[in-house]
Amino acid sequence: MTGNNQPIKGFRFSAIAAGVKKAGTERLDLALIASDIPAQAAAVTTRNLVCAAPVEIVRERLQSGLCQAALMNSGNANAYTGAQGKSDAYELTELTAKKLGISPELIVPMSTGVIGNPLPMERLRPKIPPLVERLDSSSYMDVAHAIMTTDTKPKTGILDSETSTTPFRILGMAKGAGMIAPDMATLLAVILTDVKVPPSLLKEFLVQAAAETFNRVTIDGDTSTNDTLLVLSGGHQGAIDLGQNSSDEESFFSALKTACRDLSRQIVRDGEGVTKVVDIHVLGTKNEADALKVARKIAESPLVKTAFHGEDPNWGRIVCSAGRAGVVFRPDNLDLSIGGIPIVRNGFLVSEDWETAAHAAMQQPEFTVELDLKMGNSSTTVLTTDFSEEYVSINADYRS
Amino acid sequence: MTGNNQPIKGFRFSAIAAGVKKAGTERLDLALIASDIPAQAAAVTTRNLVCAAPVEIVRERLQSGLCQAALMNSGNANAYTGAQGKSDAYELTELTAKKLGISPELIVPMSTGVIGNPLPMERLRPKIPPLVERLDSSSYMDVAHAIMTTDTKPKTGILDSETSTTPFRILGMAKGAGMIAPDMATLLAVILTDVKVPPSLLKEFLVQAAAETFNRVTIDGDTSTNDTLLVLSGGHQGAIDLGQNSSDEESFFSALKTACRDLSRQIVRDGEGVTKVVDIHVLGTKNEADALKVARKIAESPLVKTAFHGEDPNWGRIVCSAGRAGVVFRPDNLDLSIGGIPIVRNGFLVSEDWETAAHAAMQQPEFTVELDLKMGNSSTTVLTTDFSEEYVSINADYRS
């Protein structure tokens, strides 16, 4: 443990109220994470054709594999803001770089909030110097607060692990409030580690970890313009080099996946109007891609999600969703259980009173749906939520 | 006009309360449509891998291109009921055929309602003889009522048109309450016409008409196990033969499309919890398939649909949905309007106060979203709805 005063070696944090959405408010909405030295860096970003200006800059600047700071704001996504949006983001990173005394190429912007509005530059510019001045080793929770939009709580996690020779740590923070948050401002996440991982390996690990965690959750099936998951590694002199020891690589990859899984589950739990968190486990497919197609169709079906909300073991909707996933299977041979209660076995409804038991299982805040298609040995799990009246209310009139 | 006592030449109707869902209720839930002679017939059915027993029988029996009667019920979808479901459906059509004095091969079953429960055969069997005895020329509205589930009103339409030589009529009826209704019981529709169209041509016309109408609407993006759209043509001696006159073919096809469009719009308007009906018009694509991909993504996005519910011209969500449709376009060059109010032109927000005007347009029960991607000359329109708190309530606990 490095202690709460320095939760992760090599990184400093700062957050400030800049009135991004509305002048004069005291809410933290501008944040900075800075590494002591240029860190090894990798990112995964949204696959939406329409992407925000900061996402474009992240892609450009991380080509080098190095990054020393992330400048983040909530309240404005700087998306669909054209050339102005990009030049604004460049300018802010330049101001930050100047104050930090480093190259702007080493700073990435990350934004979340309403789209289509230019950044309020006149309010942001003067906040950069005090933001940099306030950097300290301990304030990561302030950063986590500053990137929240409709999140009801900050999402952070610290994970300790070790290589064959030495302990290391991963610190993560994220904002979500839905895999898609209102106005597509959605997912921003930063993962920091005190172990030094070569950038190409870091990227490879991150892509794979994201595929198995962040990309296996869904609130409403939408994809944002701003999704960015950034990892910075070894931000201090003398950081342990991961090297090429394959068992060390495995330790790091495993810890990274755990950190990503923990953050993505926190995001789902705090999804808009969410009252149920459900693991959709599909097994018995010919390959993982098939399992994923089926799990996603189930996870994204409004009829399945409203049934979850009603704690109604309406298994027919689950089977029906699976049937439209474009994957061939035998409906008359599948097994289905909800909350561990077998409902369908070999295509037949079980004879016991599954209804009462399954309803009881669904009264829990988290439960599992397991669908075995018996076509092969592959499987996957997608994390989803219910659809509540509150989800509708939150999103019906978000901007006002 | 043939008058209300015989709304369509060659067909008779009957409906009865059989207590399908619950014994002893007075609700009409079993219905029969019978043609005086074997009619030319075609159908389109669900593309879900999991399909109901009656759907399988429709596919088998319409191979012949002839059909003389449709036996329909609500309250039970006879889906996911295995071999029992199929033998039950066969038995009911056989009882009906016997009483009508025709071959069972000429009767198709159509069911809608809860899935996973066997049909209550002991209650249905004794109702077949009185159902047949009550057939008359005028009771089509009773049939439209008998197939309703969560529909709040029956959906019917009569359309008069003419070939080059003679007038003809199309009578349609449908049940919907959502492109997907609760428990996937969803769409059943029957279209009757007094003109005689060769079965192969009828099928071709029906597939094309459905593609442009029923398959261009969405409530929640799900696909049912029971969707069936049946057309019966020329159910009487001396029916006008459509022949091979291409202008007559065009007249009929056009009338069929109009009838399908009218029924599908009625279904959308009566969708579960629907307060807004929205035409998503996408144009300027390289081909119609691209336009359809984009229109569907917009039409099915929960964030777009909740914004419709809130009468919020949250155009960013529309652009974002378009961006994830898998179609390449230039976000910085598109035009977007809501309710006829221009919002984005050539990728830039218009300078006028579009917000007030667009909000006012969205207060209407029906409005249009128009997105021009300027990549080509193709276009399409998808009809969708808002997502309301009531949709969630209706579906959270449908079965109880």
Side-chain angles (χ1 to χ4, degrees):
Chain A
M1 289 287 289
T2 46
N4 272 336
N5 284 336
Q6 190 186 13
I8 184 120
K9 223 184 280 178
F11 295 96
R12 288 177 302 148
F13 309 90
S14 175
I16 202 165
V20 178
K21 205 167 174 180
K22 199 174 155 194
T25 57
E26 288 308 303
R27 192 192 171 292
L28 296 178
D29 54 12
L30 184 66
L32 183 65
I33 298 175
S35 168
D36 293 347
I37 59 166
Q40 319 297 317
V44 292
T45 51
T46 180
R47 278 176 272 192
N48 199 312
L49 179 75
V50 180
C51 73
V55 169
E56 290 184 35
I57 299 175
V58 165
R59 289 174 186 161
E60 287 166 16
R61 293 193 167 164
L62 287 204
Q63 302 274 342
S64 69
L66 287 176
C67 176
Q68 196 160 350
L71 179 68
M72 308 159 87
N73 75 276
S74 62
N76 185 316
N78 196 9
Y80 213 78
T81 44
Q84 184 63 45
K86 222 166 156 189
S87 78
D88 287 347
Y90 280 132
E91 184 186 341
L92 290 176
T93 58
E94 274 153 27
L95 289 171
T96 309
K98 201 168 182 181
K99 184 75 183 165
L100 280 169
I102 63 172
S103 158
E105 297 290 321
L106 287 169
I107 306 190
V108 295
M110 293 167 74
S111 296
T112 174
V114 175
I115 97 163
N117 298 332
L119 288 175
M121 292 297 286
E122 71 293 347
R123 294 201 291 276
L124 286 165
R125 284 189 199 98
K127 293 295 184 184
I128 298 291
L131 183 71
V132 174
E133 283 156 20
R134 290 182 197 182
L135 279 170
D136 67 45
S137 305
S138 63
S139 304
Y140 75 97
M141 285 302 296
D142 286 349
V143 174
H145 272 104
I147 56 176
M148 287 166 59
T149 53
T150 58
D151 303 59
T152 66
K153 56 187 99 169
K155 287 137 194 91
T156 62
I158 289 180
L159 185 144
D160 287 304
S161 185
E162 53 189 357
T163 66
S164 53
T165 57
T166 180
F168 68 89
R169 171 169 280 195
I170 289 178
L171 183 153
M173 62 184 75
K175 70 82 51 186
M179 183 58 190
I180 179 144
D183 272 291
M184 302 114 358
T186 189
L187 174 71
L188 294 186
V190 180
I191 289 176
L192 309 174
T193 176
D194 55 6
V195 65
K196 198 169 161 189
V197 186
S200 63
L201 197 60
L202 197 60
K203 176 82 185 211
E204 187 189 321
F205 284 163
L206 188 67
V207 167
Q208 185 60 30
E212 294 180 27
T213 58
F214 285 105
N215 291 340
R216 287 283 191 284
V217 307
T218 180
I219 303 295
D220 48 26
D222 258 319
T223 306
S224 113
T225 51
N226 286 59
D227 282 350
T228 303
L229 164 60
L230 174 72
V231 57
L232 301 180
S233 114
H236 60 297
Q237 299 294 350
I240 298 109
D241 209 311
L242 192 65
Q244 296 297 318
N245 182 323
S246 70
S247 82
D248 289 353
E249 284 185 12
E250 186 46 47
S251 299
F252 177 76
F253 180 46
S254 167
L256 180 68
K257 262 198 297 194
T258 302
C260 289
R261 184 168 292 116
D262 176 59
L263 285 175
S264 57
R265 190 169 277 268
Q266 286 187 54
I267 287 173
V268 171
R269 284 190 177 130
D270 194 28
E272 292 163 348
V274 166
T275 71
K276 303 288 174 190
V277 172
V278 187
D279 283 283
I280 308 289
H281 186 48
V282 174
L283 63 159
T285 57
K286 284 182 187 142
N287 51 57
E288 203 190 340
D290 278 3
L292 187 57
K293 276 187 208 165
V294 173
R296 272 197 190 285
K297 277 288 179 203
I298 297 169
E300 292 174 2
S301 160
L303 286 173
V304 169
K305 290 161 78 81
T306 49
F308 288 160
H309 186 61
E311 299 172 347
D312 177 14
N314 196 331
W315 60 273
R317 292 185 183 173
I318 297 170
V319 172
C320 178
S321 291
R324 56 186 279 272
V327 171
V328 175
F329 62 90
R330 287 181 49 200
D332 60 355
N333 192 38
L334 58 81
D335 289 355
L336 175 71
S337 60
I338 299 180
I341 310 300
I343 297 180
V344 179
R345 278 291 169 267
N346 306 315
F348 286 93
L349 269 183
V350 298
S351 51
E352 305 86 72
D353 176 22
W354 53 268
E355 185 119 18
T356 309
H359 174 61
M362 294 175 78
Q363 291 180 309
Q364 301 301 312
E366 306 206 1
F367 56 86
T368 297
V369 167
E370 188 177 290
L371 178 66
D372 186 349
L373 298 176
K374 300 186 193 168
M375 302 292 287
N377 295 314
S378 294
S379 66
T380 200
T381 301
V382 165
L383 194 62
T384 190
T385 64
D386 59 336
F387 243 155
S388 66
E389 289 90 345
E390 198 194 341
Y391 174 89
V392 176
S393 310
I394 291 172
N395 282 294
D397 207 9
Y398 165 68
R399 298 183 315 154
S400 56
Chain B
M1 292 285 289
T2 45
N4 271 337
N5 285 335
Q6 190 185 12
I8 183 117
K9 223 184 279 178
F11 295 96
R12 289 178 301 148
F13 309 91
S14 174
I16 202 165
V20 178
K21 205 167 173 180
K22 198 174 155 195
T25 57
E26 289 307 303
R27 194 194 169 290
L28 296 178
D29 54 11
L30 184 66
L32 183 65
I33 297 176
S35 168
D36 292 350
I37 59 165
Q40 319 299 315
V44 290
T45 52
T46 182
R47 279 176 273 191
N48 198 313
L49 178 76
V50 180
C51 73
V55 169
E56 291 184 35
I57 299 174
V58 166
R59 290 174 186 161
E60 287 165 16
R61 292 190 169 165
L62 286 203
Q63 301 274 342
S64 70
L66 287 176
C67 176
Q68 195 161 352
L71 178 68
M72 309 159 88
N73 75 275
S74 61
N76 185 316
N78 195 8
Y80 214 79
T81 43
Q84 184 65 43
K86 221 166 156 189
S87 80
D88 286 347
Y90 280 132
E91 184 185 341
L92 290 176
T93 58
E94 274 153 27
L95 288 171
T96 310
K98 199 167 182 183
K99 183 75 185 169
L100 280 168
I102 63 173
S103 158
E105 295 292 320
L106 287 169
I107 305 189
V108 294
M110 294 167 74
S111 296
T112 175
V114 175
I115 96 163
N117 298 332
L119 288 174
M121 293 298 286
E122 73 294 349
R123 296 201 290 276
L124 285 165
R125 284 188 200 97
K127 294 295 183 182
I128 298 293
L131 182 72
V132 174
E133 283 156 18
R134 290 181 197 184
L135 279 168
D136 67 45
S137 304
S138 63
S139 305
Y140 76 98
M141 284 302 295
D142 286 349
V143 174
H145 272 103
I147 57 177
M148 287 165 59
T149 53
T150 59
D151 304 58
T152 66
K153 56 188 98 167
K155 288 137 194 90
T156 62
I158 289 179
L159 185 145
D160 286 304
S161 184
E162 54 189 358
T163 67
S164 53
T165 56
T166 181
F168 69 90
R169 171 169 279 197
I170 289 178
L171 183 154
M173 62 185 76
K175 70 82 52 185
M179 183 58 189
I180 181 147
D183 273 291
M184 304 114 356
T186 187
L187 175 72
L188 294 186
V190 180
I191 288 176
L192 310 173
T193 176
D194 54 6
V195 65
K196 197 169 162 187
V197 185
S200 63
L201 197 60
L202 198 60
K203 176 82 186 211
E204 186 188 320
F205 285 163
L206 187 66
V207 167
Q208 184 60 30
E212 295 180 27
T213 58
F214 285 104
N215 291 340
R216 287 284 191 283
V217 306
T218 179
I219 303 294
D220 49 24
D222 258 319
T223 307
S224 112
T225 50
N226 286 60
D227 282 351
T228 302
L229 165 60
L230 173 72
V231 56
L232 301 180
S233 115
H236 59 296
Q237 299 294 350
I240 298 110
D241 210 310
L242 191 64
Q244 297 298 319
N245 182 323
S246 69
S247 81
D248 288 354
E249 284 185 11
E250 186 47 46
S251 299
F252 177 76
F253 180 45
S254 167
L256 180 67
K257 262 198 295 193
T258 302
C260 288
R261 183 168 294 117
D262 175 61
L263 285 175
S264 57
R265 190 169 275 270
Q266 286 186 54
I267 286 173
V268 171
R269 284 189 176 130
D270 194 28
E272 292 163 349
V274 165
T275 72
K276 303 289 173 189
V277 172
V278 187
D279 283 283
I280 308 290
H281 186 48
V282 173
L283 62 160
T285 57
K286 284 183 185 142
N287 51 58
E288 203 190 339
D290 278 1
L292 187 57
K293 277 187 209 165
V294 173
R296 271 196 192 285
K297 278 288 179 203
I298 296 170
E300 291 175 3
S301 159
L303 286 173
V304 169
K305 291 160 78 80
T306 48
F308 289 161
H309 187 61
E311 300 173 347
D312 178 13
N314 196 331
W315 61 272
R317 292 184 182 173
I318 297 169
V319 172
C320 178
S321 291
R324 56 186 280 271
V327 171
V328 175
F329 62 88
R330 287 181 47 200
D332 60 355
N333 192 39
L334 58 82
D335 290 353
L336 175 70
S337 60
I338 299 180
I341 311 299
I343 297 179
V344 179
R345 279 289 170 269
N346 306 315
F348 285 94
L349 269 183
V350 299
S351 50
E352 305 87 71
D353 176 21
W354 53 268
E355 185 119 18
T356 310
H359 174 61
M362 293 175 79
Q363 292 180 308
Q364 301 300 313
E366 306 205 1
F367 56 87
T368 297
V369 168
E370 188 176 290
L371 177 66
D372 186 348
L373 298 176
K374 301 186 193 167
M375 302 292 288
N377 296 314
S378 293
S379 66
T380 200
T381 300
V382 165
L383 195 62
T384 190
T385 64
D386 59 335
F387 244 155
S388 66
E389 289 90 345
E390 198 193 341
Y391 173 88
V392 176
S393 309
I394 291 171
N395 282 294
D397 207 8
Y398 165 66
R399 299 183 314 154
S400 57

